[in-house]
């Protein structure tokens, strides 16, 4: 099986995010592989280990995104490719999907393209379904478990985590998957993996290499806004016993009119 | 907006999501709304959409559309949109709404403004405000193509008004692709025990690391492993939290620390790598308030925190705070609400 996994480099989730002169700043917080994408890498590796095959990790971005790719290599991915092109600076979700679909096609004969649930910076959660639609493949989003996979018959059974519970879906391959945390904890890179990744050559593909022109931006984001400060006066509730505190608190909450 | 606003009515096995009516009512503020009710025998949903403010509706009645599947639903919405050229299509911000908007955007060569909390009609173009970085920042977003596709953050657009006297035309539409051309089949649904619906809950009661902090609880003798003892203690805490949630008709949430420690399943997690929520009342029990957690619940109307640590960051966000042991406060609070709410 040939599996493509797509990852993104993002500011660490513990970062304090602020806007300065219209630009997002995250202080001295490190850039890391998007936490959701670690589950995608884990799923891709497990499927390749179980059913045979190789995993190629892709990331779109500048040279700094090579660090995220090295993390994926250290976890066990066989290859990594950076998609880097100045024309992609303001690419939106639909444009990203067109680029990723072109990368899947260039890789050739892929059975699965695997994504994380969403990126914790842009938070769109759109790219998996969009990429599937560009490829004309089914989108199996929010996968918690791959219950069955038959690489020769080209079929897969997954359990999806949706609002109402687990949905069991049968699908043909190739397919595009997004993975959620229920799939299982991502592995830590091994010492050998880290050594291998540090020496690895990461190839770069441009739009020319992919054979596509820069997608038009259907969505633009002209302005970043600091969220309104939470204007709250905290009232500490005290009392001589838990019962007294609880009674006061319950009365106060009821007075707020939110029950 | 000069043209038609379409609103997709999301449902599960014919039962509409309340967020669908929020979307109809948000759409009606922009222009005349046409509702889209796909499913098997979805005419009742179409009529309900009209009661909530739609002018008319398309509905499907097709066994192949009985359950939501991205491929046939997207093909149908895209075919109709190509024929009728709406200005914008609004979707409730459910997992289905988001997936459908994404697929339709590719078919219609347009873009999606996802998870918006405010819509701005700027004449020619539709703009919106949406949280990014789990709400640590907001972004104004503009759709440069038509139809503009928007998914609406659940509970961000106010309560819709229903008028069962309203009437409008409902038009039946046929599925756009045949079953043999659909790659996916839904085999079954497995219902998950103790289901939470954090996204649309009006009240959320959440537990954190503090739930494991009760030395007075003695785990059964067969549990010898320290980690398992800790999990057992925390689970007693979550049982207690569940009782409070029951009295308040609330969903149960949790911090990432509690989920990662194995106290409760992931579907309860509130925060940047869990669910971003915006209830009327959020009660945080034994949660100190890591930045990732605060990002996920900071837009709650009233926040209440109970924590042993008087310096816990959660207090700065809270309307009411109690420095104390949740094992003492929570049962007393459950009793107090039972008396006051007559449950």
């Amino acid at each position: 099986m040939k599996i493509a996994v797509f990852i993104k480099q993002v500011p660490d989730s513990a970062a304090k995010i602020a806007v300065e002169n219209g630009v997002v700043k995250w202080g001295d917080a490190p850039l890391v592989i998007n936490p959701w994408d670690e589950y995608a890498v884990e799923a891709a590796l497990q499927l390749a280990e179980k059913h045979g095959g190789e995993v190629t990790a892709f990331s779109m971005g500048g040279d700094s995104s090579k660090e995220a790719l090295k993390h994926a290599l250290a976890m066990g991915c066989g290859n990594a490719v950076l998609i880097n092109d100045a024309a992609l600076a303001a690419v939106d979700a639909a444009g990203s999907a067109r680029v990723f679909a072109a990368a899947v096609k260039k890789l050739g004969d892929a059975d699965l393209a695997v994504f994380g649930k969403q990126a914790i910076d842009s938070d769109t959660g759109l790219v998996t379904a969009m990429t599937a639609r560009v490829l004309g493949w089914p989108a199996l989003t929010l996968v918690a478990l791959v219950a069955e996979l038959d690489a020769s018959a080209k079929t897969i059974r997954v359990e999806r985590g949706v609002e109402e519970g687990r949905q069991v879906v049968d699908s043909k391959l190739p397919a595009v998957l997004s993975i959620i945390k229920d799939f299982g904890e991502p592995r830590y890179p091994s010492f050998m993996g880290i050594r291998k990744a540090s020496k690895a050559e990461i190839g770069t593909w441009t739009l020319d290499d992919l054979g596509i022109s820069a997608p038009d931006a259907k969505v633009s984001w002209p302005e970043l806004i600091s969220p309104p400060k939470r204007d709250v006066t905290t009232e500490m509730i005290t009392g001589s016993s838990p019962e007294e505190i609880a009674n006061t608190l319950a009365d106060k909450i009821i007075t707020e009119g939110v029950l | 907006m000069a043209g038609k606003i379409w609103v997709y009515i999301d449902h599960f096995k014919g039962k509409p999501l309340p967020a669908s009516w929020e979307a109809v009512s948000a759409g009606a503020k922009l222009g005349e709304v046409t509702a889209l009710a796909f499913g098997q025998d979805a005419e009742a949903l179409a009529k309900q959409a009209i009661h909530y403010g739609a002018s008319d509706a398309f509905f499907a009645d097709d066994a192949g559309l009985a359950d939501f599947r991205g491929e046939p639903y997207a093909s149908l919405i895209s075919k109709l949109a190509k024929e009728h050229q709406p200005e914008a299509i609004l979707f409730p911000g459910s997992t289905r709404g988001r997936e459908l908007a994404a697929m339709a955007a590719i078919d219609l060569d347009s873009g999606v403004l996802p998870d918006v909390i405010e819509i701005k009609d700027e004449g020619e173009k539709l703009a919106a405000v949406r949280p990014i970085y789990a709400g640590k920042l907001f972004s104004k977003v503009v759709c440069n193509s038509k139809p503009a596709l928007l998914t609406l953050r659940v509970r961000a657009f106010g309560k819709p008004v229903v008028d069962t006297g309203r009437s409008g035309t409902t038009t039946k539409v046929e599925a756009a692709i045949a079953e043999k051309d659909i790659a996916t089949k839904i085999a079954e649904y497995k219902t998950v025990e103790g289901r939470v619906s954090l996204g649309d809950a009006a009240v959320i009661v959440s537990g954190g690391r503090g739930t494991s902090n009760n030395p007075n609880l003695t785990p059964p003798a067969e549990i010898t492993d320290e980690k398992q003892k800790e999990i057992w203690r925390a689970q007693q805490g979550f049982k207690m939290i569940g009782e409070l949630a029951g009295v308040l008709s609330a969903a149960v949430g949790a911090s990432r620390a509690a989920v990662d420690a194995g106290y409760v399943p992931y579907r309860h997690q509130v925060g940047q790598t869990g669910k971003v929520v915006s209830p009327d009342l959020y009660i945080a029990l034994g949660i100190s308030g890591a930045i990732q957690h605060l990002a996920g619940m900071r837009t709650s109307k009233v926040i209440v925190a109970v924590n042993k640590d008087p310096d816990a960051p959660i207090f700065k966000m809270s309307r009411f705070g109690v420095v104390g042991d949740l094992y003492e406060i929570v049962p007393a609070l459950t009793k107090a609400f039972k008396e006051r709410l007559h449950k």
Side-chain angles (χ1 to χ4, degrees), chain A residues 3-237:
Chain A
I3 303 175
V5 61
F6 290 86
I7 63 175
K8 189 175 183 183
Q9 169 114 316
V10 298
D12 188 84
S13 68
K16 280 206 164 126
I17 304 288
V19 53
E20 274 173 38
N21 303 321
V23 181
V24 181
K25 298 280 181 195
W26 50 83
D28 49 13
L31 289 167
V32 296
I33 180 172
N34 175 41
W36 298 113
D37 296 345
E38 291 187 64
Y39 298 96
V41 174
E42 179 62 34
L45 291 172
Q46 278 189 28
L47 292 171
E49 284 157 6
K50 199 164 170 192
H51 303 281
E54 195 169 53
V55 180
T56 302
F58 291 92
S59 187
M60 181 169 66
D63 268 340
S64 71
S65 295
K66 283 187 176 170
E67 290 306 312
L69 287 170
K70 283 187 177 165
H71 187 93
L73 287 170
M75 284 176 76
C77 293
N79 302 298
V81 178
L82 178 71
I83 302 168
N84 189 0
D85 196 305
L88 293 171
V91 70
D92 64 3
S96 303
R98 292 187 195 279
V99 171
F100 296 154
V104 171
K105 279 189 196 151
K106 184 173 162 68
L107 180 68
D109 301 320
D111 299 288
L112 290 169
V114 186
F115 290 81
K117 177 182 173 255
Q118 66 193 61
I120 63 161
D121 53 358
S122 52
D123 270 341
T124 76
L126 297 168
V127 175
T128 306
M130 284 178 158
T131 305
R133 202 65 177 170
V134 177
L135 287 165
W137 296 3
L140 302 170
T141 56
L142 310 174
V143 168
L145 176 79
V146 174
E148 290 165 31
L149 190 151
D150 187 331
S152 48
K154 303 262 178 209
T155 57
I156 188 169
R157 167 172 279 205
V158 299
E159 291 189 16
R160 302 179 57 231
V162 295
E163 281 96 336
E164 293 78 13
R166 288 281 181 95
Q167 184 194 49
V168 185
V169 184
D170 291 313
S171 175
K172 292 173 190 162
L173 292 178
V176 182
L177 270 57
S178 77
I179 307 295
I180 56 174
K181 191 169 176 173
D182 306 55
F183 196 94
E185 278 306 300
R187 65 195 68 187
Y188 287 106
S190 65
F191 178 67
M192 286 301 286
I194 293 168
R195 269 187 54 174
K196 199 179 129 225
S198 68
K199 289 184 200 150
E201 276 289 312
I202 294 175
T204 299
W205 290 356
T206 62
L207 288 174
D208 272 351
D209 295 324
L210 292 171
I212 57 169
S213 50
D216 314 331
K218 305 295 177 189
V219 173
S220 47
W221 40 97
E223 195 186 340
L224 295 168
I225 307 158
S226 300
K229 281 260 176 299
R230 200 180 162 82
D231 190 17
V232 60
T233 326
T234 308
E235 191 179 334
M236 300 307 289
I237 313 290

Side-chain angles (χ1 to χ4, degrees), chain B residues 127-144:
Chain B
V129 176
R130 61 178 303 258
I132 54 176
Y133 295 90
K136 291 176 185 171
L137 215 57
F138 290 173
S139 174
K140 182 181 168 185
V141 279
V142 181
C143 190
N144 301 312

